């Protein structure tokens, strides 16, 4: 896949020290991410392809990573 995921202009990734969690802040919504999801979203900088992102994560996670990225893209949080 040659798609280079990047957060949409309306989305922000932030760490909430009170909750001890990473948050994806999108219009009218805050999504609490688990550690794995936060690690994937943090790699979505527009420079890395999906294959590059998968290569930086534990082996065997490719299908889960691709599925997650597609789901987040469908929500409009990634472009």
């Amino acid at each position: 896949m040659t798609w280079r995921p990047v957060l949409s202009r309306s989305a922000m990734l932030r760490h909430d020290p009170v909750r001890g969690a990473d948050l994806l802040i999108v219009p009218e919504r805050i999504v609490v991410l688990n550690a794995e999801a936060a690690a994937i979203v943090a790699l979505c900088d527009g420079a890395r392809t999906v294959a590059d992102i998968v290569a930086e994560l534990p082996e065997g996670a490719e299908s889960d990573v691709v599925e997650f990225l597609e789901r987040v893209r469908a929500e409009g949080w990634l472009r």
Side-chain angles (χ1 to χ4, degrees):
M1 213 182 244
T2 59
W3 173 40
R4 295 176 185 273
V6 64
L7 283 175
S8 70
R9 289 182 180 99
S10 62
M12 294 183 294
L13 181 62
R14 296 286 184 260
H15 181 75
D16 180 0
V18 174
R19 291 184 180 139
D22 290 303
L23 309 173
L24 185 58
I25 302 170
V26 293
E28 300 181 21
R29 195 171 188 184
I30 295 177
V31 180
V32 179
L33 301 174
N34 65 26
E36 294 83 8
I40 295 167
V41 171
L43 294 171
C44 295
D45 59 6
R48 294 176 178 94
T49 65
V50 172
D52 296 334
I53 292 169
V54 167
E56 293 195 35
L57 298 168
E59 209 169 309
E62 180 176 1
S63 64
D64 292 335
V65 171
V66 171
E67 180 182 330
F68 172 76
L69 289 173
E70 289 296 336
R71 193 170 350 135
V72 175
R73 183 185 205 181
E75 289 287 342
W77 304 335
L78 287 177
R79 53 183 170 96

PDB file of all heavy atoms in Angstrom, residues 3-41:
ATOM      1  N   TRP A   3      -0.347   4.350   0.443  1.00  0.00           N
ATOM      2  CA  TRP A   3      -0.987   5.387   1.243  1.00  0.00           C
ATOM      3  C   TRP A   3      -0.054   5.793   2.378  1.00  0.00           C
ATOM      4  O   TRP A   3       0.547   4.967   3.048  1.00  0.00           O
ATOM      5  CB  TRP A   3      -2.320   4.851   1.777  1.00  0.00           C
ATOM      6  CG  TRP A   3      -3.034   5.729   2.749  1.00  0.00           C
ATOM      7  CD1 TRP A   3      -3.159   7.082   2.696  1.00  0.00           C
ATOM      8  CD2 TRP A   3      -3.733   5.320   3.921  1.00  0.00           C
ATOM      9  NE1 TRP A   3      -3.904   7.530   3.765  1.00  0.00           N
ATOM     10  CE2 TRP A   3      -4.271   6.459   4.530  1.00  0.00           C
ATOM     11  CE3 TRP A   3      -3.963   4.080   4.514  1.00  0.00           C
ATOM     12  CZ2 TRP A   3      -5.012   6.423   5.698  1.00  0.00           C
ATOM     13  CZ3 TRP A   3      -4.710   4.029   5.670  1.00  0.00           C
ATOM     14  CH2 TRP A   3      -5.227   5.198   6.248  1.00  0.00           C
ATOM     15  N   ARG A   4       0.082   7.079   2.594  1.00  0.00           N
ATOM     16  CA  ARG A   4       0.901   7.625   3.672  1.00  0.00           C
ATOM     17  C   ARG A   4      -0.030   8.312   4.664  1.00  0.00           C
ATOM     18  O   ARG A   4      -0.324   9.499   4.523  1.00  0.00           O
ATOM     19  CB  ARG A   4       1.922   8.608   3.122  1.00  0.00           C
ATOM     20  CG  ARG A   4       2.941   7.941   2.226  1.00  0.00           C
ATOM     21  CD  ARG A   4       3.900   8.935   1.606  1.00  0.00           C
ATOM     22  NE  ARG A   4       4.783   8.287   0.669  1.00  0.00           N
ATOM     23  CZ  ARG A   4       5.936   7.703   0.991  1.00  0.00           C
ATOM     24  NH1 ARG A   4       6.343   7.704   2.225  1.00  0.00           N
ATOM     25  NH2 ARG A   4       6.668   7.128   0.068  1.00  0.00           N
ATOM     26  N   PRO A   5      -0.536   7.546   5.652  1.00  0.00           N
ATOM     27  CA  PRO A   5      -1.534   8.090   6.570  1.00  0.00           C
ATOM     28  C   PRO A   5      -1.013   9.266   7.389  1.00  0.00           C
ATOM     29  O   PRO A   5       0.144   9.279   7.816  1.00  0.00           O
ATOM     30  CB  PRO A   5      -1.883   6.927   7.488  1.00  0.00           C
ATOM     31  CG  PRO A   5      -1.096   5.763   7.049  1.00  0.00           C
ATOM     32  CD  PRO A   5      -0.178   6.179   5.978  1.00  0.00           C
ATOM     33  N   VAL A   6      -1.888  10.232   7.569  1.00  0.00           N
ATOM     34  CA  VAL A   6      -1.602  11.393   8.400  1.00  0.00           C
ATOM     35  C   VAL A   6      -2.919  11.792   9.055  1.00  0.00           C
ATOM     36  O   VAL A   6      -3.987  11.610   8.469  1.00  0.00           O
ATOM     37  CB  VAL A   6      -0.981  12.544   7.575  1.00  0.00           C
ATOM     38  CG1 VAL A   6      -1.933  13.063   6.529  1.00  0.00           C
ATOM     39  CG2 VAL A   6      -0.486  13.640   8.473  1.00  0.00           C
ATOM     40  N   LEU A   7      -2.844  12.327  10.258  1.00  0.00           N
ATOM     41  CA  LEU A   7      -4.063  12.774  10.930  1.00  0.00           C
ATOM     42  C   LEU A   7      -4.750  13.841  10.091  1.00  0.00           C
ATOM     43  O   LEU A   7      -4.092  14.689   9.475  1.00  0.00           O
ATOM     44  CB  LEU A   7      -3.735  13.349  12.306  1.00  0.00           C
ATOM     45  CG  LEU A   7      -3.436  12.348  13.407  1.00  0.00           C
ATOM     46  CD1 LEU A   7      -3.002  13.073  14.668  1.00  0.00           C
ATOM     47  CD2 LEU A   7      -4.634  11.466  13.695  1.00  0.00           C
ATOM     48  N   SER A   8      -6.064  13.808  10.082  1.00  0.00           N
ATOM     49  CA  SER A   8      -6.803  14.847   9.384  1.00  0.00           C
ATOM     50  C   SER A   8      -6.572  16.172  10.109  1.00  0.00           C
ATOM     51  O   SER A   8      -6.143  16.199  11.262  1.00  0.00           O
ATOM     52  CB  SER A   8      -8.298  14.510   9.333  1.00  0.00           C
ATOM     53  OG  SER A   8      -8.860  14.613  10.619  1.00  0.00           O
ATOM     54  N   ARG A   9      -6.868  17.239   9.440  1.00  0.00           N
ATOM     55  CA  ARG A   9      -6.630  18.567  10.020  1.00  0.00           C
ATOM     56  C   ARG A   9      -7.452  18.797  11.279  1.00  0.00           C
ATOM     57  O   ARG A   9      -7.092  19.608  12.120  1.00  0.00           O
ATOM     58  CB  ARG A   9      -6.936  19.640   8.990  1.00  0.00           C
ATOM     59  CG  ARG A   9      -5.920  19.671   7.884  1.00  0.00           C
ATOM     60  CD  ARG A   9      -6.220  20.792   6.897  1.00  0.00           C
ATOM     61  NE  ARG A   9      -5.231  20.801   5.854  1.00  0.00           N
ATOM     62  CZ  ARG A   9      -5.405  20.268   4.653  1.00  0.00           C
ATOM     63  NH1 ARG A   9      -6.548  19.705   4.339  1.00  0.00           N
ATOM     64  NH2 ARG A   9      -4.446  20.312   3.758  1.00  0.00           N
ATOM     65  N   SER A  10      -8.558  18.095  11.406  1.00  0.00           N
ATOM     66  CA  SER A  10      -9.440  18.295  12.555  1.00  0.00           C
ATOM     67  C   SER A  10      -9.146  17.347  13.715  1.00  0.00           C
ATOM     68  O   SER A  10      -9.829  17.381  14.725  1.00  0.00           O
ATOM     69  CB  SER A  10     -10.893  18.124  12.118  1.00  0.00           C
ATOM     70  OG  SER A  10     -11.107  16.813  11.635  1.00  0.00           O
ATOM     71  N   ALA A  11      -8.118  16.515  13.588  1.00  0.00           N
ATOM     72  CA  ALA A  11      -7.796  15.534  14.636  1.00  0.00           C
ATOM     73  C   ALA A  11      -6.456  15.861  15.277  1.00  0.00           C
ATOM     74  O   ALA A  11      -5.533  16.330  14.617  1.00  0.00           O
ATOM     75  CB  ALA A  11      -7.753  14.131  14.047  1.00  0.00           C
ATOM     76  N   MET A  12      -6.380  15.596  16.588  1.00  0.00           N
ATOM     77  CA  MET A  12      -5.133  15.804  17.334  1.00  0.00           C
ATOM     78  C   MET A  12      -4.891  14.611  18.252  1.00  0.00           C
ATOM     79  O   MET A  12      -5.827  14.105  18.868  1.00  0.00           O
ATOM     80  CB  MET A  12      -5.221  17.055  18.208  1.00  0.00           C
ATOM     81  CG  MET A  12      -5.330  18.343  17.456  1.00  0.00           C
ATOM     82  SD  MET A  12      -5.342  19.768  18.570  1.00  0.00           S
ATOM     83  CE  MET A  12      -6.888  19.528  19.421  1.00  0.00           C
ATOM     84  N   LEU A  13      -3.655  14.198  18.350  1.00  0.00           N
ATOM     85  CA  LEU A  13      -3.257  13.159  19.288  1.00  0.00           C
ATOM     86  C   LEU A  13      -2.631  13.844  20.485  1.00  0.00           C
ATOM     87  O   LEU A  13      -1.688  14.635  20.335  1.00  0.00           O
ATOM     88  CB  LEU A  13      -2.251  12.202  18.634  1.00  0.00           C
ATOM     89  CG  LEU A  13      -1.755  11.046  19.481  1.00  0.00           C
ATOM     90  CD1 LEU A  13      -2.904  10.121  19.874  1.00  0.00           C
ATOM     91  CD2 LEU A  13      -0.684  10.265  18.740  1.00  0.00           C
ATOM     92  N   ARG A  14      -3.164  13.593  21.665  1.00  0.00           N
ATOM     93  CA  ARG A  14      -2.661  14.214  22.896  1.00  0.00           C
ATOM     94  C   ARG A  14      -2.570  13.172  23.995  1.00  0.00           C
ATOM     95  O   ARG A  14      -3.347  12.219  24.025  1.00  0.00           O
ATOM     96  CB  ARG A  14      -3.595  15.336  23.370  1.00  0.00           C
ATOM     97  CG  ARG A  14      -3.705  16.502  22.437  1.00  0.00           C
ATOM     98  CD  ARG A  14      -2.426  17.348  22.500  1.00  0.00           C
ATOM     99  NE  ARG A  14      -2.531  18.531  21.676  1.00  0.00           N
ATOM    100  CZ  ARG A  14      -2.018  18.661  20.477  1.00  0.00           C
ATOM    101  NH1 ARG A  14      -1.366  17.664  19.923  1.00  0.00           N
ATOM    102  NH2 ARG A  14      -2.138  19.779  19.802  1.00  0.00           N
ATOM    103  N   HIS A  15      -1.661  13.392  24.919  1.00  0.00           N
ATOM    104  CA  HIS A  15      -1.558  12.533  26.097  1.00  0.00           C
ATOM    105  C   HIS A  15      -2.228  13.241  27.265  1.00  0.00           C
ATOM    106  O   HIS A  15      -1.967  14.422  27.510  1.00  0.00           O
ATOM    107  CB  HIS A  15      -0.098  12.228  26.442  1.00  0.00           C
ATOM    108  CG  HIS A  15       0.026  11.337  27.627  1.00  0.00           C
ATOM    109  ND1 HIS A  15      -0.254   9.989  27.558  1.00  0.00           N
ATOM    110  CD2 HIS A  15       0.348  11.592  28.907  1.00  0.00           C
ATOM    111  CE1 HIS A  15      -0.092   9.469  28.758  1.00  0.00           C
ATOM    112  NE2 HIS A  15       0.267  10.419  29.589  1.00  0.00           N
ATOM    113  N   ASP A  16      -3.093  12.540  27.958  1.00  0.00           N
ATOM    114  CA  ASP A  16      -3.774  13.083  29.138  1.00  0.00           C
ATOM    115  C   ASP A  16      -3.087  12.514  30.373  1.00  0.00           C
ATOM    116  O   ASP A  16      -3.269  11.342  30.701  1.00  0.00           O
ATOM    117  CB  ASP A  16      -5.248  12.703  29.121  1.00  0.00           C
ATOM    118  CG  ASP A  16      -6.014  13.236  30.322  1.00  0.00           C
ATOM    119  OD1 ASP A  16      -5.402  13.903  31.189  1.00  0.00           O
ATOM    120  OD2 ASP A  16      -7.230  12.995  30.399  1.00  0.00           O
ATOM    121  N   PRO A  17      -2.284  13.323  31.056  1.00  0.00           N
ATOM    122  CA  PRO A  17      -1.565  12.814  32.225  1.00  0.00           C
ATOM    123  C   PRO A  17      -2.487  12.442  33.381  1.00  0.00           C
ATOM    124  O   PRO A  17      -2.148  11.571  34.186  1.00  0.00           O
ATOM    125  CB  PRO A  17      -0.635  13.964  32.612  1.00  0.00           C
ATOM    126  CG  PRO A  17      -1.212  15.176  31.986  1.00  0.00           C
ATOM    127  CD  PRO A  17      -1.988  14.718  30.797  1.00  0.00           C
ATOM    128  N   VAL A  18      -3.642  13.053  33.463  1.00  0.00           N
ATOM    129  CA  VAL A  18      -4.584  12.726  34.539  1.00  0.00           C
ATOM    130  C   VAL A  18      -5.121  11.314  34.355  1.00  0.00           C
ATOM    131  O   VAL A  18      -5.161  10.528  35.306  1.00  0.00           O
ATOM    132  CB  VAL A  18      -5.748  13.747  34.585  1.00  0.00           C
ATOM    133  CG1 VAL A  18      -6.797  13.325  35.595  1.00  0.00           C
ATOM    134  CG2 VAL A  18      -5.223  15.134  34.901  1.00  0.00           C
ATOM    135  N   ARG A  19      -5.511  10.987  33.133  1.00  0.00           N
ATOM    136  CA  ARG A  19      -6.017   9.641  32.841  1.00  0.00           C
ATOM    137  C   ARG A  19      -4.896   8.647  32.583  1.00  0.00           C
ATOM    138  O   ARG A  19      -5.122   7.448  32.566  1.00  0.00           O
ATOM    139  CB  ARG A  19      -6.907   9.674  31.600  1.00  0.00           C
ATOM    140  CG  ARG A  19      -8.190  10.390  31.779  1.00  0.00           C
ATOM    141  CD  ARG A  19      -9.020  10.279  30.513  1.00  0.00           C
ATOM    142  NE  ARG A  19     -10.277  10.970  30.679  1.00  0.00           N
ATOM    143  CZ  ARG A  19     -10.836  11.705  29.749  1.00  0.00           C
ATOM    144  NH1 ARG A  19     -10.265  11.850  28.572  1.00  0.00           N
ATOM    145  NH2 ARG A  19     -11.988  12.297  29.962  1.00  0.00           N
ATOM    146  N   GLY A  20      -3.718   9.177  32.292  1.00  0.00           N
ATOM    147  CA  GLY A  20      -2.612   8.295  31.926  1.00  0.00           C
ATOM    148  C   GLY A  20      -2.888   7.598  30.612  1.00  0.00           C
ATOM    149  O   GLY A  20      -2.524   6.447  30.420  1.00  0.00           O
ATOM    150  N   ALA A  21      -3.549   8.323  29.688  1.00  0.00           N
ATOM    151  CA  ALA A  21      -3.950   7.715  28.426  1.00  0.00           C
ATOM    152  C   ALA A  21      -3.699   8.682  27.278  1.00  0.00           C
ATOM    153  O   ALA A  21      -3.659   9.896  27.460  1.00  0.00           O
ATOM    154  CB  ALA A  21      -5.431   7.354  28.475  1.00  0.00           C
ATOM    155  N   ASP A  22      -3.554   8.099  26.088  1.00  0.00           N
ATOM    156  CA  ASP A  22      -3.452   8.898  24.877  1.00  0.00           C
ATOM    157  C   ASP A  22      -4.851   9.084  24.316  1.00  0.00           C
ATOM    158  O   ASP A  22      -5.670   8.155  24.318  1.00  0.00           O
ATOM    159  CB  ASP A  22      -2.549   8.202  23.856  1.00  0.00           C
ATOM    160  CG  ASP A  22      -1.109   8.211  24.312  1.00  0.00           C
ATOM    161  OD1 ASP A  22      -0.585   9.306  24.560  1.00  0.00           O
ATOM    162  OD2 ASP A  22      -0.520   7.121  24.427  1.00  0.00           O
ATOM    163  N   LEU A  23      -5.116  10.297  23.861  1.00  0.00           N
ATOM    164  CA  LEU A  23      -6.436  10.650  23.359  1.00  0.00           C
ATOM    165  C   LEU A  23      -6.346  11.103  21.916  1.00  0.00           C
ATOM    166  O   LEU A  23      -5.406  11.805  21.535  1.00  0.00           O
ATOM    167  CB  LEU A  23      -7.034  11.795  24.185  1.00  0.00           C
ATOM    168  CG  LEU A  23      -7.053  11.638  25.689  1.00  0.00           C
ATOM    169  CD1 LEU A  23      -7.526  12.928  26.341  1.00  0.00           C
ATOM    170  CD2 LEU A  23      -7.937  10.475  26.096  1.00  0.00           C
ATOM    171  N   LEU A  24      -7.315  10.716  21.139  1.00  0.00           N
ATOM    172  CA  LEU A  24      -7.469  11.239  19.800  1.00  0.00           C
ATOM    173  C   LEU A  24      -8.635  12.215  19.892  1.00  0.00           C
ATOM    174  O   LEU A  24      -9.768  11.822  20.176  1.00  0.00           O
ATOM    175  CB  LEU A  24      -7.770  10.116  18.803  1.00  0.00           C
ATOM    176  CG  LEU A  24      -7.839  10.506  17.342  1.00  0.00           C
ATOM    177  CD1 LEU A  24      -6.532  11.138  16.876  1.00  0.00           C
ATOM    178  CD2 LEU A  24      -8.176   9.308  16.490  1.00  0.00           C
ATOM    179  N   ILE A  25      -8.339  13.488  19.716  1.00  0.00           N
ATOM    180  CA  ILE A  25      -9.345  14.524  19.857  1.00  0.00           C
ATOM    181  C   ILE A  25      -9.825  14.913  18.462  1.00  0.00           C
ATOM    182  O   ILE A  25      -9.036  15.360  17.631  1.00  0.00           O
ATOM    183  CB  ILE A  25      -8.773  15.741  20.607  1.00  0.00           C
ATOM    184  CG1 ILE A  25      -8.270  15.283  21.969  1.00  0.00           C
ATOM    185  CG2 ILE A  25      -9.820  16.839  20.731  1.00  0.00           C
ATOM    186  CD1 ILE A  25      -7.475  16.319  22.721  1.00  0.00           C
ATOM    187  N   VAL A  26     -11.108  14.678  18.224  1.00  0.00           N
ATOM    188  CA  VAL A  26     -11.735  14.988  16.948  1.00  0.00           C
ATOM    189  C   VAL A  26     -12.975  15.830  17.228  1.00  0.00           C
ATOM    190  O   VAL A  26     -13.435  15.884  18.365  1.00  0.00           O
ATOM    191  CB  VAL A  26     -12.078  13.695  16.170  1.00  0.00           C
ATOM    192  CG1 VAL A  26     -10.815  12.978  15.733  1.00  0.00           C
ATOM    193  CG2 VAL A  26     -12.935  12.762  16.985  1.00  0.00           C
ATOM    194  N   PRO A  27     -13.516  16.505  16.223  1.00  0.00           N
ATOM    195  CA  PRO A  27     -14.676  17.355  16.484  1.00  0.00           C
ATOM    196  C   PRO A  27     -15.796  16.618  17.221  1.00  0.00           C
ATOM    197  O   PRO A  27     -16.203  15.522  16.822  1.00  0.00           O
ATOM    198  CB  PRO A  27     -15.133  17.780  15.083  1.00  0.00           C
ATOM    199  CG  PRO A  27     -13.892  17.709  14.264  1.00  0.00           C
ATOM    200  CD  PRO A  27     -13.120  16.540  14.820  1.00  0.00           C
ATOM    201  N   GLU A  28     -16.224  17.224  18.312  1.00  0.00           N
ATOM    202  CA  GLU A  28     -17.331  16.726  19.123  1.00  0.00           C
ATOM    203  C   GLU A  28     -17.102  15.331  19.696  1.00  0.00           C
ATOM    204  O   GLU A  28     -18.054  14.634  20.045  1.00  0.00           O
ATOM    205  CB  GLU A  28     -18.630  16.751  18.310  1.00  0.00           C
ATOM    206  CG  GLU A  28     -18.992  18.139  17.835  1.00  0.00           C
ATOM    207  CD  GLU A  28     -20.285  18.174  17.057  1.00  0.00           C
ATOM    208  OE1 GLU A  28     -21.101  17.249  17.208  1.00  0.00           O
ATOM    209  OE2 GLU A  28     -20.456  19.126  16.297  1.00  0.00           O
ATOM    210  N   ARG A  29     -15.823  14.926  19.822  1.00  0.00           N
ATOM    211  CA  ARG A  29     -15.548  13.576  20.313  1.00  0.00           C
ATOM    212  C   ARG A  29     -14.131  13.484  20.835  1.00  0.00           C
ATOM    213  O   ARG A  29     -13.212  14.104  20.297  1.00  0.00           O
ATOM    214  CB  ARG A  29     -15.739  12.603  19.161  1.00  0.00           C
ATOM    215  CG  ARG A  29     -15.840  11.185  19.539  1.00  0.00           C
ATOM    216  CD  ARG A  29     -16.252  10.413  18.309  1.00  0.00           C
ATOM    217  NE  ARG A  29     -16.553   9.058  18.651  1.00  0.00           N
ATOM    218  CZ  ARG A  29     -16.863   8.133  17.788  1.00  0.00           C
ATOM    219  NH1 ARG A  29     -16.926   8.436  16.517  1.00  0.00           N
ATOM    220  NH2 ARG A  29     -17.116   6.920  18.172  1.00  0.00           N
ATOM    221  N   ILE A  30     -13.961  12.681  21.872  1.00  0.00           N
ATOM    222  CA  ILE A  30     -12.625  12.340  22.367  1.00  0.00           C
ATOM    223  C   ILE A  30     -12.568  10.819  22.431  1.00  0.00           C
ATOM    224  O   ILE A  30     -13.418  10.188  23.054  1.00  0.00           O
ATOM    225  CB  ILE A  30     -12.350  12.948  23.748  1.00  0.00           C
ATOM    226  CG1 ILE A  30     -12.330  14.472  23.648  1.00  0.00           C
ATOM    227  CG2 ILE A  30     -11.034  12.418  24.313  1.00  0.00           C
ATOM    228  CD1 ILE A  30     -12.148  15.179  24.969  1.00  0.00           C
ATOM    229  N   VAL A  31     -11.577  10.257  21.773  1.00  0.00           N
ATOM    230  CA  VAL A  31     -11.416   8.810  21.728  1.00  0.00           C
ATOM    231  C   VAL A  31     -10.204   8.444  22.580  1.00  0.00           C
ATOM    232  O   VAL A  31      -9.095   8.926  22.332  1.00  0.00           O
ATOM    233  CB  VAL A  31     -11.203   8.323  20.275  1.00  0.00           C
ATOM    234  CG1 VAL A  31     -11.044   6.819  20.226  1.00  0.00           C
ATOM    235  CG2 VAL A  31     -12.356   8.792  19.389  1.00  0.00           C
ATOM    236  N   VAL A  32     -10.422   7.605  23.591  1.00  0.00           N
ATOM    237  CA  VAL A  32      -9.326   7.125  24.430  1.00  0.00           C
ATOM    238  C   VAL A  32      -8.703   5.929  23.716  1.00  0.00           C
ATOM    239  O   VAL A  32      -9.377   4.944  23.423  1.00  0.00           O
ATOM    240  CB  VAL A  32      -9.830   6.714  25.833  1.00  0.00           C
ATOM    241  CG1 VAL A  32      -8.676   6.199  26.681  1.00  0.00           C
ATOM    242  CG2 VAL A  32     -10.528   7.887  26.514  1.00  0.00           C
ATOM    243  N   LEU A  33      -7.414   6.039  23.421  1.00  0.00           N
ATOM    244  CA  LEU A  33      -6.702   4.988  22.688  1.00  0.00           C
ATOM    245  C   LEU A  33      -5.946   4.083  23.641  1.00  0.00           C
ATOM    246  O   LEU A  33      -5.362   4.548  24.618  1.00  0.00           O
ATOM    247  CB  LEU A  33      -5.709   5.624  21.713  1.00  0.00           C
ATOM    248  CG  LEU A  33      -6.283   6.566  20.655  1.00  0.00           C
ATOM    249  CD1 LEU A  33      -5.155   7.220  19.880  1.00  0.00           C
ATOM    250  CD2 LEU A  33      -7.216   5.817  19.719  1.00  0.00           C
ATOM    251  N   ASN A  34      -5.921   2.798  23.330  1.00  0.00           N
ATOM    252  CA  ASN A  34      -5.042   1.912  24.097  1.00  0.00           C
ATOM    253  C   ASN A  34      -3.613   2.127  23.599  1.00  0.00           C
ATOM    254  O   ASN A  34      -3.383   2.848  22.624  1.00  0.00           O
ATOM    255  CB  ASN A  34      -5.501   0.448  24.002  1.00  0.00           C
ATOM    256  CG  ASN A  34      -5.397  -0.132  22.607  1.00  0.00           C
ATOM    257  OD1 ASN A  34      -4.594   0.302  21.783  1.00  0.00           O
ATOM    258  ND2 ASN A  34      -6.216  -1.118  22.320  1.00  0.00           N
ATOM    259  N   ALA A  35      -2.665   1.530  24.256  1.00  0.00           N
ATOM    260  CA  ALA A  35      -1.252   1.766  23.940  1.00  0.00           C
ATOM    261  C   ALA A  35      -0.910   1.400  22.499  1.00  0.00           C
ATOM    262  O   ALA A  35      -0.165   2.121  21.823  1.00  0.00           O
ATOM    263  CB  ALA A  35      -0.366   0.990  24.907  1.00  0.00           C
ATOM    264  N   GLU A  36      -1.462   0.294  22.012  1.00  0.00           N
ATOM    265  CA  GLU A  36      -1.163  -0.140  20.651  1.00  0.00           C
ATOM    266  C   GLU A  36      -1.724   0.836  19.626  1.00  0.00           C
ATOM    267  O   GLU A  36      -1.052   1.212  18.662  1.00  0.00           O
ATOM    268  CB  GLU A  36      -1.716  -1.552  20.391  1.00  0.00           C
ATOM    269  CG  GLU A  36      -1.041  -2.623  21.206  1.00  0.00           C
ATOM    270  CD  GLU A  36      -1.613  -2.767  22.622  1.00  0.00           C
ATOM    271  OE1 GLU A  36      -2.645  -2.137  22.945  1.00  0.00           O
ATOM    272  OE2 GLU A  36      -1.021  -3.495  23.418  1.00  0.00           O
ATOM    273  N   ALA A  37      -2.966   1.261  19.815  1.00  0.00           N
ATOM    274  CA  ALA A  37      -3.590   2.200  18.890  1.00  0.00           C
ATOM    275  C   ALA A  37      -2.851   3.531  18.889  1.00  0.00           C
ATOM    276  O   ALA A  37      -2.625   4.124  17.832  1.00  0.00           O
ATOM    277  CB  ALA A  37      -5.058   2.400  19.250  1.00  0.00           C
ATOM    278  N   ALA A  38      -2.460   3.999  20.063  1.00  0.00           N
ATOM    279  CA  ALA A  38      -1.724   5.260  20.163  1.00  0.00           C
ATOM    280  C   ALA A  38      -0.384   5.157  19.436  1.00  0.00           C
ATOM    281  O   ALA A  38       0.031   6.107  18.759  1.00  0.00           O
ATOM    282  CB  ALA A  38      -1.515   5.639  21.622  1.00  0.00           C
ATOM    283  N   ALA A  39       0.291   4.025  19.558  1.00  0.00           N
ATOM    284  CA  ALA A  39       1.574   3.834  18.880  1.00  0.00           C
ATOM    285  C   ALA A  39       1.400   3.876  17.365  1.00  0.00           C
ATOM    286  O   ALA A  39       2.213   4.474  16.651  1.00  0.00           O
ATOM    287  CB  ALA A  39       2.202   2.504  19.305  1.00  0.00           C
ATOM    288  N   ILE A  40       0.322   3.290  16.867  1.00  0.00           N
ATOM    289  CA  ILE A  40       0.060   3.291  15.430  1.00  0.00           C
ATOM    290  C   ILE A  40      -0.250   4.706  14.952  1.00  0.00           C
ATOM    291  O   ILE A  40       0.333   5.191  13.975  1.00  0.00           O
ATOM    292  CB  ILE A  40      -1.100   2.331  15.080  1.00  0.00           C
ATOM    293  CG1 ILE A  40      -0.699   0.890  15.387  1.00  0.00           C
ATOM    294  CG2 ILE A  40      -1.501   2.486  13.614  1.00  0.00           C
ATOM    295  CD1 ILE A  40      -1.864  -0.086  15.366  1.00  0.00           C
ATOM    296  N   VAL A  41      -1.142   5.391  15.653  1.00  0.00           N
ATOM    297  CA  VAL A  41      -1.530   6.746  15.246  1.00  0.00           C
ATOM    298  C   VAL A  41      -0.320   7.688  15.305  1.00  0.00           C
ATOM    299  O   VAL A  41      -0.156   8.546  14.441  1.00  0.00           O
ATOM    300  CB  VAL A  41      -2.699   7.269  16.106  1.00  0.00           C
ATOM    301  CG1 VAL A  41      -2.965   8.742  15.845  1.00  0.00           C
ATOM    302  CG2 VAL A  41      -3.958   6.447  15.849  1.00  0.00           C
TER     303      VAL A  41
END
